[in-house]
Amino acid sequence: MSTTLTIDIVSDAVCPWCYIGKRRLEAALAGLPDVVADVRWRPFQLDATIPPGGIERRAYMAKKFGEDRIAAIHERLTEAGREDGLAFAFDKIKISPNTLDAHRLIRWAQTIGAQSDMAERLFAMFFIEGRDIGDHATLAEAAADVGLERAVVERLLAGDADVDAVREEIATAQRLGVSGVPFFILDGRLAVSGAQPAGV
């Protein structure tokens, strides 16, 4: 007898711990064959002040964490990622993007049941390939990769479709007390904060 579990993942596409958290959730679910998960991705912006065109990554990281701490932060994340089968390539990332449009894309992917695929594609584009996931052409490519109609997505991205809805979802998460991601909500009752090990 299988049990259906709704899992809301509050996440940002430029959060390395969110990518790690996705892998760890997948490992946890693989160990629970009787659980059918209905995973829903919810938006969060670690920095909504980044302009639409993004910011040069190195300068952004230096301002946020201090130039002398960047290497240590990346080393720690690289090791954590490796443990979960992720080959982070931080040196390839040239732009820190605003992720509002990426969140719109994840929202639209829900219409074809491909939110997790979309989140995975955006994580890979950013952290493995070093792509600018604030760029509309890159986002349209990601959309096509998971089965959305590229022309439709290009048209939607050119306008403001679902901008307010995404911002309201982010505000709702903040009102619930979410201040960091990943944040997992299980069946609307239990919360797990951070990229906890699969066993947790």
Side-chain angles (χ1 to χ4, degrees), residues 29-47:
L29 291 172
L32 299 168
D34 294 335
V35 174
V36 177
D38 175 20
V39 178
R40 303 181 301 199
W41 290 82
R42 304 297 187 189
F44 194 87
Q45 284 193 282
L46 291 171
D47 190 346

mmCIF file of all heavy atoms in Angstrom, residues 29-47:
data_model
loop_
_atom_site.group_PDB
_atom_site.id
_atom_site.type_symbol
_atom_site.label_atom_id
_atom_site.label_comp_id
_atom_site.label_asym_id
_atom_site.label_seq_id
_atom_site.Cartn_x
_atom_site.Cartn_y
_atom_site.Cartn_z
ATOM 1 N N LEU A 29 13.951 9.461 -0.896
ATOM 2 C CA LEU A 29 12.760 8.869 -1.519
ATOM 3 C C LEU A 29 13.075 7.514 -2.157
ATOM 4 O O LEU A 29 12.233 6.617 -2.161
ATOM 5 C CB LEU A 29 12.166 9.831 -2.546
ATOM 6 C CG LEU A 29 11.526 11.100 -1.960
ATOM 7 C CD1 LEU A 29 11.149 12.077 -3.064
ATOM 8 C CD2 LEU A 29 10.306 10.753 -1.111
ATOM 9 N N ALA A 30 14.295 7.368 -2.686
ATOM 10 C CA ALA A 30 14.685 6.090 -3.274
ATOM 11 C C ALA A 30 14.682 4.986 -2.222
ATOM 12 O O ALA A 30 14.446 3.815 -2.531
ATOM 13 C CB ALA A 30 16.067 6.200 -3.916
ATOM 14 N N GLY A 31 14.905 5.357 -0.962
ATOM 15 C CA GLY A 31 14.898 4.397 0.131
ATOM 16 C C GLY A 31 13.522 4.151 0.716
ATOM 17 O O GLY A 31 13.381 3.386 1.678
ATOM 18 N N LEU A 32 12.513 4.809 0.153
ATOM 19 C CA LEU A 32 11.135 4.659 0.639
ATOM 20 C C LEU A 32 10.233 4.285 -0.537
ATOM 21 O O LEU A 32 9.441 5.110 -1.013
ATOM 22 C CB LEU A 32 10.650 5.968 1.285
ATOM 23 C CG LEU A 32 11.434 6.472 2.498
ATOM 24 C CD1 LEU A 32 11.029 7.896 2.849
ATOM 25 C CD2 LEU A 32 11.220 5.543 3.692
ATOM 26 N N PRO A 33 10.331 3.055 -1.020
ATOM 27 C CA PRO A 33 9.589 2.669 -2.225
ATOM 28 C C PRO A 33 8.068 2.736 -2.082
ATOM 29 O O PRO A 33 7.364 2.804 -3.086
ATOM 30 C CB PRO A 33 10.067 1.232 -2.477
ATOM 31 C CG PRO A 33 10.581 0.750 -1.163
ATOM 32 C CD PRO A 33 11.143 1.960 -0.475
ATOM 33 N N ASP A 34 7.565 2.734 -0.850
ATOM 34 C CA ASP A 34 6.113 2.791 -0.644
ATOM 35 C C ASP A 34 5.579 4.221 -0.600
ATOM 36 O O ASP A 34 4.379 4.426 -0.437
ATOM 37 C CB ASP A 34 5.723 2.064 0.655
ATOM 38 C CG ASP A 34 6.005 0.567 0.573
ATOM 39 O OD1 ASP A 34 6.035 0.036 -0.569
ATOM 40 O OD2 ASP A 34 6.212 -0.052 1.625
ATOM 41 N N VAL A 35 6.482 5.192 -0.717
ATOM 42 C CA VAL A 35 6.062 6.593 -0.683
ATOM 43 C C VAL A 35 6.064 7.168 -2.099
ATOM 44 O O VAL A 35 7.069 7.106 -2.808
ATOM 45 C CB VAL A 35 6.989 7.435 0.219
ATOM 46 C CG1 VAL A 35 6.624 8.914 0.134
ATOM 47 C CG2 VAL A 35 6.912 6.951 1.659
ATOM 48 N N VAL A 36 4.912 7.699 -2.508
ATOM 49 C CA VAL A 36 4.801 8.393 -3.787
ATOM 50 C C VAL A 36 4.832 9.885 -3.477
ATOM 51 O O VAL A 36 3.949 10.402 -2.783
ATOM 52 C CB VAL A 36 3.493 8.025 -4.523
ATOM 53 C CG1 VAL A 36 3.376 8.816 -5.811
ATOM 54 C CG2 VAL A 36 3.436 6.529 -4.798
ATOM 55 N N ALA A 37 5.854 10.582 -3.960
ATOM 56 C CA ALA A 37 6.026 11.994 -3.635
ATOM 57 C C ALA A 37 5.448 12.893 -4.714
ATOM 58 O O ALA A 37 5.719 12.711 -5.898
ATOM 59 C CB ALA A 37 7.503 12.309 -3.426
ATOM 60 N N ASP A 38 4.648 13.849 -4.287
ATOM 61 C CA ASP A 38 4.162 14.915 -5.156
ATOM 62 C C ASP A 38 4.991 16.141 -4.807
ATOM 63 O O ASP A 38 4.717 16.826 -3.822
ATOM 64 C CB ASP A 38 2.668 15.165 -4.911
ATOM 65 C CG ASP A 38 2.134 16.352 -5.697
ATOM 66 O OD1 ASP A 38 2.776 16.745 -6.694
ATOM 67 O OD2 ASP A 38 1.083 16.911 -5.303
ATOM 68 N N VAL A 39 6.062 16.352 -5.587
ATOM 69 C CA VAL A 39 7.016 17.427 -5.280
ATOM 70 C C VAL A 39 6.618 18.705 -6.007
ATOM 71 O O VAL A 39 6.409 18.701 -7.216
ATOM 72 C CB VAL A 39 8.448 17.013 -5.667
ATOM 73 C CG1 VAL A 39 9.431 18.149 -5.406
ATOM 74 C CG2 VAL A 39 8.863 15.752 -4.903
ATOM 75 N N ARG A 40 6.513 19.779 -5.229
ATOM 76 C CA ARG A 40 6.173 21.084 -5.791
ATOM 77 C C ARG A 40 7.273 22.079 -5.421
ATOM 78 O O ARG A 40 7.627 22.203 -4.255
ATOM 79 C CB ARG A 40 4.818 21.555 -5.244
ATOM 80 C CG ARG A 40 3.705 20.553 -5.534
ATOM 81 C CD ARG A 40 2.360 21.003 -5.037
ATOM 82 N NE ARG A 40 2.335 21.250 -3.593
ATOM 83 C CZ ARG A 40 1.217 21.291 -2.870
ATOM 84 N NH1 ARG A 40 0.042 21.110 -3.445
ATOM 85 N NH2 ARG A 40 1.269 21.519 -1.570
ATOM 86 N N TRP A 41 7.787 22.765 -6.437
ATOM 87 C CA TRP A 41 8.870 23.723 -6.224
ATOM 88 C C TRP A 41 8.299 25.110 -5.999
ATOM 89 O O TRP A 41 7.503 25.604 -6.787
ATOM 90 C CB TRP A 41 9.823 23.706 -7.413
ATOM 91 C CG TRP A 41 10.609 22.434 -7.456
ATOM 92 C CD1 TRP A 41 10.196 21.234 -7.963
ATOM 93 C CD2 TRP A 41 11.919 22.219 -6.941
ATOM 94 N NE1 TRP A 41 11.175 20.287 -7.786
ATOM 95 C CE2 TRP A 41 12.239 20.862 -7.167
ATOM 96 C CE3 TRP A 41 12.855 23.045 -6.306
ATOM 97 C CZ2 TRP A 41 13.456 20.316 -6.776
ATOM 98 C CZ3 TRP A 41 14.070 22.499 -5.931
ATOM 99 C CH2 TRP A 41 14.367 21.155 -6.165
ATOM 100 N N ARG A 42 8.723 25.738 -4.902
ATOM 101 C CA ARG A 42 8.248 27.073 -4.516
ATOM 102 C C ARG A 42 9.403 28.073 -4.607
ATOM 103 O O ARG A 42 10.540 27.762 -4.240
ATOM 104 C CB ARG A 42 7.704 27.053 -3.090
ATOM 105 C CG ARG A 42 6.597 26.031 -2.855
ATOM 106 C CD ARG A 42 5.386 26.335 -3.690
ATOM 107 N NE ARG A 42 4.257 25.458 -3.342
ATOM 108 C CZ ARG A 42 3.150 25.392 -4.032
ATOM 109 N NH1 ARG A 42 3.007 26.114 -5.134
ATOM 110 N NH2 ARG A 42 2.176 24.593 -3.657
ATOM 111 N N PRO A 43 9.110 29.287 -5.075
ATOM 112 C CA PRO A 43 10.186 30.256 -5.299
ATOM 113 C C PRO A 43 10.684 30.950 -4.035
ATOM 114 O O PRO A 43 9.944 31.144 -3.067
ATOM 115 C CB PRO A 43 9.521 31.272 -6.236
ATOM 116 C CG PRO A 43 8.078 31.243 -5.839
ATOM 117 C CD PRO A 43 7.801 29.805 -5.499
ATOM 118 N N PHE A 44 11.953 31.324 -4.089
ATOM 119 C CA PHE A 44 12.586 32.145 -3.056
ATOM 120 C C PHE A 44 13.752 32.846 -3.741
ATOM 121 O O PHE A 44 14.402 32.249 -4.607
ATOM 122 C CB PHE A 44 13.101 31.270 -1.910
ATOM 123 C CG PHE A 44 13.470 32.043 -0.672
ATOM 124 C CD1 PHE A 44 12.511 32.335 0.279
ATOM 125 C CD2 PHE A 44 14.770 32.478 -0.460
ATOM 126 C CE1 PHE A 44 12.840 33.043 1.435
ATOM 127 C CE2 PHE A 44 15.109 33.199 0.679
ATOM 128 C CZ PHE A 44 14.133 33.472 1.632
ATOM 129 N N GLN A 45 13.996 34.077 -3.390
ATOM 130 C CA GLN A 45 15.152 34.788 -3.953
ATOM 131 C C GLN A 45 16.125 35.136 -2.840
ATOM 132 O O GLN A 45 15.786 35.875 -1.919
ATOM 133 C CB GLN A 45 14.706 36.051 -4.692
ATOM 134 C CG GLN A 45 14.096 35.763 -6.059
ATOM 135 C CD GLN A 45 13.948 37.021 -6.882
ATOM 136 O OE1 GLN A 45 13.031 37.804 -6.660
ATOM 137 N NE2 GLN A 45 14.849 37.215 -7.836
ATOM 138 N N LEU A 46 17.316 34.587 -2.945
ATOM 139 C CA LEU A 46 18.341 34.899 -1.960
ATOM 140 C C LEU A 46 18.748 36.365 -2.045
ATOM 141 O O LEU A 46 19.134 36.959 -1.044
ATOM 142 C CB LEU A 46 19.561 33.990 -2.165
ATOM 143 C CG LEU A 46 19.333 32.519 -1.810
ATOM 144 C CD1 LEU A 46 20.518 31.676 -2.246
ATOM 145 C CD2 LEU A 46 19.078 32.363 -0.322
ATOM 146 N N ASP A 47 18.654 36.943 -3.242
ATOM 147 C CA ASP A 47 18.965 38.367 -3.407
ATOM 148 C C ASP A 47 18.120 38.940 -4.539
ATOM 149 O O ASP A 47 18.499 38.851 -5.711
ATOM 150 C CB ASP A 47 20.450 38.562 -3.694
ATOM 151 C CG ASP A 47 20.860 40.029 -3.633
ATOM 152 O OD1 ASP A 47 19.963 40.902 -3.641
ATOM 153 O OD2 ASP A 47 22.076 40.303 -3.578
#
